[in-house]
Amino acid sequence: GAADGAPDDDKDGPGALLPALSAGDTLTLLRVHAHSHTTRPSSRFTEATLVKRLEELGIGRPSTYAPTINLLKARSYVSEATGLRLTPSPTGRFADSFLRAHF
């Protein structure tokens, strides 16, 4: 198809080539589609889901997960909000931004 450089057999479909255009040519708008779309942020980690993600990424060892989470809380990088979700504090957000920019 068009994506691989080969011509498409479909002359009127989404892969059809446009006719040659020149500056100043007038085009006719056939239709407009307005779509409302919202996205939801991913849910916050709980201690259990954070441990699972650390395991998936190969970060730390089982013996280091609890001390790491306790350290995040002790330094006020996160707090446990309603439903035991870990919520980043302004200090935690700053540390995250700094580390992402420098590592």
Side-chain angles (χ1 to χ4, degrees), residues 36-65:
S36 176
H37 181 73
T38 57
T39 58
R40 294 178 47 151
S42 36
S43 60
R44 300 279 182 206
F45 286 111
T46 63
E47 287 188 23
T49 58
L50 178 57
V51 168
K52 182 178 178 183
R53 185 68 177 141
L54 291 171
E55 288 173 342
E56 290 170 355
L57 295 172
I59 297 172
R61 305 211 19 93
S63 62
T64 63
Y65 296 142

